[in-house]
Amino acid sequence: MGLLWALAMKMAIEEINSSSALLPGVSLGYDLYDTCTLPMVTMKPSLLFISQKGSRDIGAYCNYTQYWPRVVAVIGPHSSELALITGKLFGFFLMPQVSYGASTDRLSSRAIFPSFFRTIPSDRVQLQAIVDLLNLFSWNWVAAVGSDDEYGRQGLSIFSSLANNRSICIAHEGTLPLPRAQNSQDLGKVESILRQINQSAVQVVVLFASEAAARILFQYCIQTKVTPKVWVASEAWLVSEQVTKLPGIQGVGTIMGFLLRGAPLPEFNDYVARCLAQAADKAFCDTLEEAFPNTEDDVVGPQCPQCDDISHENISSGLQHHQTFAVYAAVYSVAHALHLSLGCTNSGCFSNNRTRPWELVSKMYNLSFRARSLTLKFDDNGNVDMIYDLKLWVWHDNMDPELLTIGSFQGDLKLNRSQIRWHSPGNQEPVSRCSRECEEGQVRRVKGFHSCCYDCLDCQAGSYRKNRDDLMCTSCASDQWSPDLSTQCFPRTIKFLGWGEPVVVVLLLLMVLAVGLSLGALGLFSYHWGSPLVRASGGSLSCFGLGCLTLVSLSVLHFPGRPSWFSCLAQQPLVHLPLTGCLSTLFLKAAEAFLASEFPGQAERLHGWLHGTRAWLLVALLLLAEGALCTWYLLAFPQALETDWKTLPREALVHCRVSSWLSFGVVHAVNVALAFLCFLGTFMVQSQAGRYNLARGITFAMLVYFIIWLSFVPLFTNVHKVYQPAMQMTAILLSALGILAAFYLPKCYLLLWEPHLNTQEFFQSSLELGPRASGEAQEEKPEKRRSQ
């Protein structure tokens, strides 16, 4: 291939010398040297290039701005390893060097290689294309193999970095020995690499190696019958005859890789044939030796005698090599820089055909030039941007493989999957993953050292998978929710005990019943205001108690609907104050029954405290005490309006939060004490024969009260927080209905259906009349009957 690249350079120079538009009137000359891919051989002509013009000496100066070397630019070498050596040397003299094959990314450093340029992209671009290809097929469990030289080692390093950034794991990595160092130990390395690849689940191998190293690997693959894989080739060996001509190579699997797309050189074939025909003409060669005697064999060694027998047939397969255009473009880049440096126009050049290398370098920075149909430009790092074609090896009847174009890359990868022919049965696309792809809403739990080997864990409700490669579920914000296996969060809706909920509707009907019964009883008592039954039940105090029960029942209207700051503050006073009013009236009747039963002698003396103004004063004092407790509670421990984001899975619960349950219990203390005293004062009271037992109703009313509120505590703490207001409504309404049913409704029954019992004798008690009045009443009975 070196001969063809030399001929491509020669053809470009002859085109430029005959051009009237580029460097008119200026002829380019050249010297060609074979590096033999050896650093020592490469250094000999390199030193000759930088020797002073007209001599073989290199001047030692502090300032080389006026230094005139023998040449003004160097094309080559092809090898990255050699370019790293020559690049530093030529960079010291700021001599422009344009390579057509050295692709290692290290040469992009302007600080180390200030005068290095190349007409191919850096390896980083090709490796980025390879990583995009792996990612497109979801191949994240691969092997990476490179040649043991600068090209392979640097390529593996860059690939490892790029692959890691795209969550692609390298299961096995190794370097292949070069042919010149081949021995049994090196073959053992090849065997070890292939054994690891063959025994693993890896189905894709990235082979970034020189053509000689790739040939060694595939020879061993064919011999040991390695399981077919997908081989992703680097540009160095993708079109190498050393590999394509191997017997049995079609059995190693699917081979694809990226190849630079250059401009076609259709006349190059004829040009090579013409040059070779001239070289075979002895008379032509004799004239060249006379015109250009070889005086430098002692410097760079004798000419290669093997080149004398090359024919057109020997090199016909390499005429279309992709790097031929790169050589051609390298010559044109220097020519365009010279054109600018010499100030050339269409009519000629005006700088006496003299320019120093460093002046030429300054013109090549960010130089844009045209080579055939392509316009190329050196970027800040001396690289050019070119299109890569994705090539696939396709065999036809066991002949040489056809390079089928199945895609392209220039910043992003474009692929035609339908054209790909896989080695697997049924043309199935190979899968190369350590673990299966997690489903939606699952994250990875890595096991081992590779992030591609993992178990899939479900994201629970309240969390979601944010990115496909996440290792942990992301929690939703407090105002959001998510179901199990979710990939996003949703905004929460506001939840509270609404008016339309079934439980609220039932409780509202229960409230209507309680209010209706209370108002009905109040109306009935008012209608029979002066009757013995009403007077025995407490008269105006009894009506006041019914009014308070009505307010207790209506207080539940405060619980449904969206809570507010005011509603949270008003809940307890609205319930407890009217309940205290009702219980205080019952307490007066309970005290009256207790005194009449247990302390009949003291009943007359205490009669004034249980009736009339003093009784109302006692009720007012009890209400005042309860009001003081409610005020203390509201000021010290007010119920706060709270939005609970955690209780419900999808909604935000707005509710009133009790700040202190101890203070909440203290607020209940007055009512509990009244109820307890009522129960103690009445449960042992016995009624006289033929008299109405007023104490029994109070006893059962208080018994119902305690049963309801003692049951309320465990039920309230265990019921769902959404329905805690409904539980409070239930307890309040049942308390009101219990008092109504046990104390007031039996009296309403007597008023409506047993009116003959509504007599003074039936409802008279010793407390109402006192001991003396009781006896007088017995004496007056005959007189009253006689008068009637």
Side-chain angles (χ1 to χ4, degrees), residues 141-158:
W141 188 239
V142 301
V145 182
S147 52
D148 192 12
D149 55 12
E150 173 63 28
Y151 176 76
R153 289 190 298 268
Q154 182 73 5
L156 284 182
S157 176
I158 296 174

Side-chain angles (χ1 to χ4, degrees), residues 572-573 576-577 580 619-637 663 666-670:
Q572 303 307 321
H576 293 292
L577 284 175
T580 302
V619 171
L621 289 174
L622 290 172
L623 286 173
L624 185 61
E626 180 63 24
L629 284 176
C630 289
T631 303
W632 167 78
Y633 175 76
L634 293 179
L635 294 177
F637 307 99
S663 61
V666 172
V667 173
H668 283 265
V670 172

Side-chain angles (χ1 to χ4, degrees), residues 285-523:
C285 293
D286 292 340
T287 59
L288 288 179
E289 290 180 359
E290 293 177 1
F292 305 100
N294 187 7
T295 60
E296 296 171 357
D297 284 351
D298 57 331
V299 177
V300 298
Q303 294 181 347
C304 178
Q306 293 85 350
C307 299
D308 295 339
D309 300 324
I310 293 178
S311 65
H312 188 269
E313 289 74 17
N314 297 140
I315 59 175
S316 59
S317 60
L319 289 172
Q320 302 302 321
H321 195 278
H322 64 289
Q323 284 187 334
T324 302
F325 174 75
V327 179
Y328 180 88
V331 176
Y332 267 85
S333 69
V334 175
H336 278 274
L338 278 170
H339 189 87
L340 294 174
S341 182
L342 296 174
C344 299
T345 63
N346 292 335
S347 57
C349 300
F350 307 100
S351 295
N352 299 322
N353 296 338
R354 293 172 62 84
T355 186
R356 294 180 178 82
W358 64 267
E359 296 174 311
L360 195 58
V361 167
S362 65
K363 300 297 181 183
M364 295 187 71
Y365 281 134
N366 299 310
L367 173 68
S368 179
F369 62 96
R370 190 166 184 83
R372 291 298 171 106
S373 60
L374 294 181
T375 299
L376 304 177
K377 182 180 180 180
F378 291 126
D379 61 17
D380 293 337
N381 298 318
N383 307 319
V384 295
D385 183 24
M386 295 180 69
I387 299 175
Y388 278 98
D389 286 327
L390 180 57
K391 300 288 187 177
L392 176 71
W393 284 19
V394 179
W395 280 272
H396 303 284
D397 300 326
N398 292 328
M399 298 180 67
D400 291 343
E402 171 196 356
L403 285 177
L404 178 65
T405 302
I406 59 173
S408 63
F409 178 85
Q410 191 176 27
D412 62 317
L413 179 61
K414 297 178 181 178
L415 182 66
N416 188 348
R417 291 198 183 201
S418 61
Q419 289 184 305
I420 303 178
R421 302 178 189 179
W422 302 106
H423 63 274
S424 50
N427 200 34
Q428 290 293 316
E429 185 177 295
V431 177
S432 189
R433 304 183 63 88
C434 182
S435 301
R436 67 174 178 85
E437 183 72 20
C438 287
E439 298 177 0
E440 294 295 321
Q442 291 183 326
V443 294
R444 303 171 177 179
R445 184 180 66 183
V446 177
K447 52 184 181 181
F449 299 101
H450 294 286
S451 61
C452 300
C453 301
Y454 50 83
D455 295 322
C456 294
L457 300 180
D458 296 346
C459 285
Q460 303 298 320
S463 62
Y464 69 104
R465 187 185 75 183
K466 188 175 183 180
N467 300 307
R468 182 173 294 275
D469 297 330
D470 283 351
L471 302 180
M472 295 181 64
C473 297
T474 303
S475 298
C476 294
S478 60
D479 59 344
Q480 295 179 322
W481 70 277
S482 69
D484 292 335
L485 297 172
S486 179
T487 57
Q488 60 177 324
C489 293
F490 306 94
R492 289 179 180 268
T493 56
I494 300 300
K495 175 68 177 178
F496 46 84
L497 190 65
W499 289 96
E501 295 192 33
V503 65
V504 175
V505 173
V506 172
L507 290 173
L508 290 177
L509 293 176
L510 195 64
M511 182 207 71
V512 171
L513 176 63
V515 171
L517 291 175
S518 300
L519 292 177
L522 179 61

Side-chain angles (χ1 to χ4, degrees), residues 201-256:
V202 169
Q203 298 298 320
V204 177
V205 182
V206 176
L207 183 54
F208 203 85
S210 61
E211 54 184 343
R215 177 183 174 85
I216 294 174
L217 180 69
F218 284 116
Q219 279 179 331
Y220 206 88
C221 283
I222 297 168
Q223 292 173 11
T224 57
K225 297 181 180 179
V226 172
T227 304
K229 308 286 183 184
V230 175
W231 300 88
V232 181
S234 65
E235 193 179 27
W237 67 268
L238 182 63
V239 294
S240 170
E241 288 190 0
Q242 293 188 42
V243 181
T244 58
K245 298 293 186 181
L246 282 174
I249 187 63
Q250 61 270 27
V252 299
T254 302
I255 298 177
M256 63 175 66

Side-chain angles (χ1 to χ4, degrees), residues 73-84:
V74 177
I75 306 297
H78 173 265
S79 165
S80 294
E81 203 153 14
L82 300 180
L84 289 172

